[in-house]
Amino acid sequence: MMNGFDMNNEYIEAVRRINAGKSRKLFVLTFGCQQNEADSEQVRGIGLLMGYSLTETPDDADIIIVNTCAIREHAEDKALSMLGNFKALKRKRPELVVGVIGCMAAERHVVEHIKTGFHYVTFTLEPNMLHLLPEVIYRKLALGKRSFIVGKDDGSLTEGIPAERSSGFKAWVSIMYGCNNFCSYCIVPYTRGRERSRPSESILSECRGLVAHGVKEITLLGQNVNSYKSDMDFATLIENIALLDGDFTVRFMTSHPKDVSDRLIEVMGKYSPKIAPYFHLPLQSGSDRILKLMHRTYNSEKFLTTVRKLREAVPGIALSTDVIVGFPTETDEDFEDTLRVLREVEFDLVYSFIYSKREGTPAARMDGQVDQARKDERMSRLLALSDAFADKKNKELIGTVQRVLVESRSKRGSESSYTARTLTNKLVHFTSDECLIGEFTEVLIEKAGAFELFGKLKK
Ligand code: SF4
């Protein structure tokens, strides 16, 4: 199912007419994941079409759009308190338009709270409905009406929304939206809806265009990219992207261990390093009992088998993971199982999170919530172990030459210091007399810590 996004959308034109001859500015504030970053790029793209210019500060903006995250309650509190800050701005400039998009805008109780408690908020718009942005802005500007669009997502997809990308050489490409997995701790299936995949031809043509414009790194985005399904599966899609002419690399995130197919592993091996030799494979727990409670539908053995296959097929691959510490009923034994898997895999990087209740998810209602002191103690043990492996993995690279994509000037060091990323997604600092931002180059690694590498340009 797909709605065409009409570039001549009457509301875009109508807002353009209202803005004609005036200097109007749009400020977008983004919380949360890469999917939100990608959505914000589309918001900016639509804003430019409606005659807005972009600003980096809310102080001189005519429209402020807050792109929210609902993954943790703390993230919601942060977004709401940020909204509170805009009240004073609205008092000074009554014509200011303030909108809320992202996952929080899909939660009815949050929308109700915003509607009644934040009178200066002009609209909320749930995810997957960005094509309605011109309409809700028009309704405010022309008719003075507030809009709260929630519960309208019918599972369709909108193609062709323009994106104003924040980087000229790195690009996110959403290939699918939503999630069908209902992990028991996660709110995403309730906020982003069920899985829907973009047509492969649209994705391929977007990638072709990006490469033609000199983009060096494409990251395919989706809550669960491995279950991408259109006229082809994910392995075939990424293979087709890897086959495009051009000097670029393609990455993807995020994956679910249950959906990593042998064919994907084979394709990654065949097209490495054009397909980056890096895989983020969220473990969450090494205990099969906890994995079951999390509704993850794999066990630690299946996870370890996938790791073995990846390492065999893609020599030098880097692996990272997510781990949740202190999930309800987690015992010392369960936690030891997690450490056992971490020891066996030796991940390059572990993103670890202390479990915190997320209202609206099954896990929040489970008995056996683990007390904070125990969670903290487990977390420090996990960090000590995972940092030691990160350090070990990075030190193994000393003396090797790494192909890197130069991202920016380094915040540390001299004017000539740069920050780059290896194909395996590791941060590298090096110096260069020439500005190489946006270019691939080769760096000899001389020093390494757990989270960064240091090197010099290979002559
Ligand atoms: S796979 Fe699980 S954790 Fe990931 S978005 Fe879907 S429900 Fe959430």
mmCIF file of all heavy atoms in Angstrom, residues 160-187:
data_model
loop_
_atom_site.group_PDB
_atom_site.id
_atom_site.type_symbol
_atom_site.label_atom_id
_atom_site.label_comp_id
_atom_site.label_asym_id
_atom_site.label_seq_id
_atom_site.Cartn_x
_atom_site.Cartn_y
_atom_site.Cartn_z
ATOM 1 N N GLY A 160 8.658 9.550 -1.582
ATOM 2 C CA GLY A 160 8.979 10.796 -2.282
ATOM 3 C C GLY A 160 9.047 12.029 -1.400
ATOM 4 O O GLY A 160 9.122 13.142 -1.921
ATOM 5 N N ILE A 161 9.019 11.858 -0.069
ATOM 6 C CA ILE A 161 9.182 13.044 0.775
ATOM 7 C C ILE A 161 10.639 13.493 0.660
ATOM 8 O O ILE A 161 11.548 12.685 0.837
ATOM 9 C CB ILE A 161 8.837 12.731 2.252
ATOM 10 C CG1 ILE A 161 7.375 12.297 2.366
ATOM 11 C CG2 ILE A 161 9.101 13.953 3.137
ATOM 12 C CD1 ILE A 161 6.910 12.022 3.784
ATOM 13 N N PRO A 162 10.869 14.766 0.344
ATOM 14 C CA PRO A 162 12.265 15.199 0.162
ATOM 15 C C PRO A 162 12.983 15.273 1.505
ATOM 16 O O PRO A 162 12.355 15.548 2.528
ATOM 17 C CB PRO A 162 12.110 16.606 -0.425
ATOM 18 C CG PRO A 162 10.791 17.079 0.113
ATOM 19 C CD PRO A 162 9.914 15.866 0.240
ATOM 20 N N ALA A 163 14.285 14.999 1.497
ATOM 21 C CA ALA A 163 15.055 15.104 2.748
ATOM 22 C C ALA A 163 16.122 16.168 2.578
ATOM 23 O O ALA A 163 16.776 16.232 1.543
ATOM 24 C CB ALA A 163 15.695 13.765 3.071
ATOM 25 N N GLU A 164 16.267 17.017 3.577
ATOM 26 C CA GLU A 164 17.377 17.975 3.598
ATOM 27 C C GLU A 164 18.443 17.346 4.480
ATOM 28 O O GLU A 164 18.369 17.392 5.708
ATOM 29 C CB GLU A 164 16.888 19.313 4.158
ATOM 30 C CG GLU A 164 17.949 20.376 4.301
ATOM 31 C CD GLU A 164 18.594 20.794 2.980
ATOM 32 O OE1 GLU A 164 18.033 20.506 1.899
ATOM 33 O OE2 GLU A 164 19.684 21.381 3.040
ATOM 34 N N ARG A 165 19.429 16.699 3.865
ATOM 35 C CA ARG A 165 20.367 15.874 4.622
ATOM 36 C C ARG A 165 21.410 16.730 5.330
ATOM 37 O O ARG A 165 21.880 17.721 4.776
ATOM 38 C CB ARG A 165 21.033 14.871 3.698
ATOM 39 C CG ARG A 165 20.014 13.932 3.052
ATOM 40 C CD ARG A 165 20.666 12.831 2.272
ATOM 41 N NE ARG A 165 19.658 12.092 1.508
ATOM 42 C CZ ARG A 165 18.992 11.036 1.961
ATOM 43 N NH1 ARG A 165 19.223 10.576 3.155
ATOM 44 N NH2 ARG A 165 18.103 10.431 1.184
ATOM 45 N N SER A 166 21.751 16.283 6.552
ATOM 46 C CA SER A 166 22.681 17.099 7.332
ATOM 47 C C SER A 166 24.128 16.872 6.904
ATOM 48 O O SER A 166 24.995 17.665 7.235
ATOM 49 C CB SER A 166 22.514 16.826 8.823
ATOM 50 O OG SER A 166 22.483 15.443 9.042
ATOM 51 N N SER A 167 24.389 15.790 6.187
ATOM 52 C CA SER A 167 25.761 15.552 5.725
ATOM 53 C C SER A 167 25.742 15.383 4.213
ATOM 54 O O SER A 167 24.797 14.835 3.649
ATOM 55 C CB SER A 167 26.309 14.276 6.374
ATOM 56 O OG SER A 167 27.429 13.804 5.659
ATOM 57 N N GLY A 168 26.828 15.835 3.573
ATOM 58 C CA GLY A 168 26.911 15.687 2.117
ATOM 59 C C GLY A 168 27.512 14.347 1.722
ATOM 60 O O GLY A 168 27.474 13.970 0.553
ATOM 61 N N PHE A 169 28.117 13.640 2.681
ATOM 62 C CA PHE A 169 28.805 12.404 2.301
ATOM 63 C C PHE A 169 28.317 11.168 3.040
ATOM 64 O O PHE A 169 28.748 10.058 2.762
ATOM 65 C CB PHE A 169 30.327 12.570 2.457
ATOM 66 C CG PHE A 169 30.741 12.969 3.842
ATOM 67 C CD1 PHE A 169 31.063 12.019 4.783
ATOM 68 C CD2 PHE A 169 30.822 14.308 4.203
ATOM 69 C CE1 PHE A 169 31.448 12.369 6.063
ATOM 70 C CE2 PHE A 169 31.208 14.682 5.489
ATOM 71 C CZ PHE A 169 31.514 13.719 6.412
ATOM 72 N N LYS A 170 27.415 11.372 4.019
ATOM 73 C CA LYS A 170 26.820 10.223 4.715
ATOM 74 C C LYS A 170 25.314 10.359 4.619
ATOM 75 O O LYS A 170 24.788 11.459 4.794
ATOM 76 C CB LYS A 170 27.210 10.241 6.202
ATOM 77 C CG LYS A 170 28.669 9.924 6.444
ATOM 78 C CD LYS A 170 29.024 10.148 7.892
ATOM 79 C CE LYS A 170 28.341 9.107 8.748
ATOM 80 N NZ LYS A 170 29.027 8.927 10.032
ATOM 81 N N ALA A 171 24.622 9.269 4.374
ATOM 82 C CA ALA A 171 23.167 9.393 4.249
ATOM 83 C C ALA A 171 22.474 8.204 4.884
ATOM 84 O O ALA A 171 22.946 7.066 4.793
ATOM 85 C CB ALA A 171 22.787 9.473 2.771
ATOM 86 N N TRP A 172 21.367 8.497 5.548
ATOM 87 C CA TRP A 172 20.494 7.439 6.038
ATOM 88 C C TRP A 172 19.425 7.197 5.006
ATOM 89 O O TRP A 172 18.865 8.156 4.439
ATOM 90 C CB TRP A 172 19.798 7.869 7.325
ATOM 91 C CG TRP A 172 20.711 7.960 8.484
ATOM 92 C CD1 TRP A 172 21.466 6.950 9.002
ATOM 93 C CD2 TRP A 172 20.969 9.108 9.297
ATOM 94 N NE1 TRP A 172 22.176 7.401 10.089
ATOM 95 C CE2 TRP A 172 21.885 8.719 10.288
ATOM 96 C CE3 TRP A 172 20.506 10.424 9.290
ATOM 97 C CZ2 TRP A 172 22.350 9.590 11.246
ATOM 98 C CZ3 TRP A 172 20.979 11.286 10.250
ATOM 99 C CH2 TRP A 172 21.883 10.876 11.214
ATOM 100 N N VAL A 173 19.121 5.952 4.770
ATOM 101 C CA VAL A 173 18.027 5.610 3.865
ATOM 102 C C VAL A 173 17.102 4.642 4.612
ATOM 103 O O VAL A 173 17.498 3.521 4.925
ATOM 104 C CB VAL A 173 18.568 4.956 2.570
ATOM 105 C CG1 VAL A 173 17.429 4.452 1.701
ATOM 106 C CG2 VAL A 173 19.423 5.947 1.788
ATOM 107 N N SER A 174 15.905 5.103 4.912
ATOM 108 C CA SER A 174 14.945 4.215 5.582
ATOM 109 C C SER A 174 14.452 3.202 4.568
ATOM 110 O O SER A 174 14.040 3.580 3.462
ATOM 111 C CB SER A 174 13.758 5.016 6.110
ATOM 112 O OG SER A 174 14.211 5.903 7.093
ATOM 113 N N ILE A 175 14.519 1.931 4.929
ATOM 114 C CA ILE A 175 14.034 0.914 3.989
ATOM 115 C C ILE A 175 12.729 0.290 4.473
ATOM 116 O O ILE A 175 12.009 -0.332 3.714
ATOM 117 C CB ILE A 175 15.085 -0.185 3.725
ATOM 118 C CG1 ILE A 175 15.416 -0.960 5.013
ATOM 119 C CG2 ILE A 175 16.337 0.395 3.105
ATOM 120 C CD1 ILE A 175 16.169 -2.260 4.723
ATOM 121 N N MET A 176 12.468 0.431 5.757
ATOM 122 C CA MET A 176 11.228 -0.107 6.312
ATOM 123 C C MET A 176 10.877 0.654 7.584
ATOM 124 O O MET A 176 11.727 1.315 8.177
ATOM 125 C CB MET A 176 11.371 -1.587 6.620
ATOM 126 C CG MET A 176 12.444 -1.861 7.636
ATOM 127 S SD MET A 176 12.559 -3.580 8.074
ATOM 128 C CE MET A 176 10.944 -3.922 8.677
ATOM 129 N N TYR A 177 9.646 0.558 7.979
ATOM 130 C CA TYR A 177 9.178 1.257 9.170
ATOM 131 C C TYR A 177 8.412 0.266 10.040
ATOM 132 O O TYR A 177 7.824 -0.679 9.542
ATOM 133 C CB TYR A 177 8.253 2.412 8.786
ATOM 134 C CG TYR A 177 8.893 3.407 7.848
ATOM 135 C CD1 TYR A 177 8.788 3.249 6.471
ATOM 136 C CD2 TYR A 177 9.619 4.488 8.342
ATOM 137 C CE1 TYR A 177 9.387 4.148 5.601
ATOM 138 C CE2 TYR A 177 10.220 5.389 7.487
ATOM 139 C CZ TYR A 177 10.105 5.222 6.113
ATOM 140 O OH TYR A 177 10.709 6.109 5.267
ATOM 141 N N GLY A 178 8.373 0.536 11.328
ATOM 142 C CA GLY A 178 7.548 -0.263 12.227
ATOM 143 C C GLY A 178 8.221 -1.566 12.624
ATOM 144 O O GLY A 178 9.342 -1.874 12.203
ATOM 145 N N CYS A 179 7.528 -2.326 13.439
ATOM 146 C CA CYS A 179 8.085 -3.575 13.942
ATOM 147 C C CYS A 179 6.952 -4.521 14.328
ATOM 148 O O CYS A 179 5.930 -4.085 14.864
ATOM 149 C CB CYS A 179 8.964 -3.282 15.155
ATOM 150 S SG CYS A 179 9.757 -4.772 15.762
ATOM 151 N N ASN A 180 7.158 -5.810 14.041
ATOM 152 C CA ASN A 180 6.134 -6.815 14.382
ATOM 153 C C ASN A 180 6.544 -7.669 15.570
ATOM 154 O O ASN A 180 5.888 -8.654 15.866
ATOM 155 C CB ASN A 180 5.934 -7.782 13.198
ATOM 156 C CG ASN A 180 5.276 -7.103 12.026
ATOM 157 O OD1 ASN A 180 4.765 -6.000 12.147
ATOM 158 N ND2 ASN A 180 5.287 -7.767 10.878
ATOM 159 N N ASN A 181 7.655 -7.345 16.203
ATOM 160 C CA ASN A 181 8.232 -8.322 17.131
ATOM 161 C C ASN A 181 7.704 -8.262 18.563
ATOM 162 O O ASN A 181 7.769 -9.244 19.280
ATOM 163 C CB ASN A 181 9.756 -8.191 17.131
ATOM 164 C CG ASN A 181 10.317 -8.692 15.819
ATOM 165 O OD1 ASN A 181 9.891 -9.729 15.328
ATOM 166 N ND2 ASN A 181 11.222 -7.945 15.227
ATOM 167 N N PHE A 182 7.248 -7.137 18.988
ATOM 168 C CA PHE A 182 6.668 -7.007 20.332
ATOM 169 C C PHE A 182 7.580 -7.582 21.422
ATOM 170 O O PHE A 182 7.131 -8.383 22.249
ATOM 171 C CB PHE A 182 5.277 -7.659 20.392
ATOM 172 C CG PHE A 182 4.253 -6.882 19.616
ATOM 173 C CD1 PHE A 182 4.000 -7.184 18.292
ATOM 174 C CD2 PHE A 182 3.569 -5.828 20.213
ATOM 175 C CE1 PHE A 182 3.082 -6.445 17.559
ATOM 176 C CE2 PHE A 182 2.648 -5.079 19.490
ATOM 177 C CZ PHE A 182 2.397 -5.393 18.158
ATOM 178 N N CYS A 183 8.845 -7.208 21.403
ATOM 179 C CA CYS A 183 9.700 -7.560 22.538
ATOM 180 C C CYS A 183 9.025 -6.964 23.772
ATOM 181 O O CYS A 183 8.491 -5.847 23.714
ATOM 182 C CB CYS A 183 11.098 -6.974 22.356
ATOM 183 S SG CYS A 183 11.887 -7.603 20.867
ATOM 184 N N SER A 184 9.070 -7.699 24.879
ATOM 185 C CA SER A 184 8.160 -7.333 25.977
ATOM 186 C C SER A 184 8.542 -6.039 26.686
ATOM 187 O O SER A 184 7.760 -5.508 27.464
ATOM 188 C CB SER A 184 8.071 -8.480 26.982
ATOM 189 O OG SER A 184 9.339 -8.711 27.546
ATOM 190 N N TYR A 185 9.756 -5.516 26.413
ATOM 191 C CA TYR A 185 10.185 -4.282 27.084
ATOM 192 C C TYR A 185 10.051 -3.061 26.176
ATOM 193 O O TYR A 185 10.390 -1.953 26.568
ATOM 194 C CB TYR A 185 11.656 -4.407 27.516
ATOM 195 C CG TYR A 185 12.550 -4.871 26.374
ATOM 196 C CD1 TYR A 185 13.029 -3.974 25.434
ATOM 197 C CD2 TYR A 185 12.864 -6.213 26.207
ATOM 198 C CE1 TYR A 185 13.810 -4.393 24.374
ATOM 199 C CE2 TYR A 185 13.643 -6.646 25.154
ATOM 200 C CZ TYR A 185 14.105 -5.729 24.239
ATOM 201 O OH TYR A 185 14.864 -6.153 23.177
ATOM 202 N N CYS A 186 9.589 -3.267 24.935
ATOM 203 C CA CYS A 186 9.745 -2.215 23.923
ATOM 204 C C CYS A 186 8.416 -1.593 23.511
ATOM 205 O O CYS A 186 7.430 -2.289 23.271
ATOM 206 C CB CYS A 186 10.466 -2.801 22.713
ATOM 207 S SG CYS A 186 10.773 -1.583 21.442
ATOM 208 N N ILE A 187 8.428 -0.288 23.355
ATOM 209 C CA ILE A 187 7.211 0.458 23.026
ATOM 210 C C ILE A 187 7.067 0.663 21.504
ATOM 211 O O ILE A 187 6.010 1.044 21.018
ATOM 212 C CB ILE A 187 7.243 1.843 23.756
ATOM 213 C CG1 ILE A 187 5.866 2.515 23.811
ATOM 214 C CG2 ILE A 187 8.277 2.787 23.167
ATOM 215 C CD1 ILE A 187 4.962 1.989 24.861
#
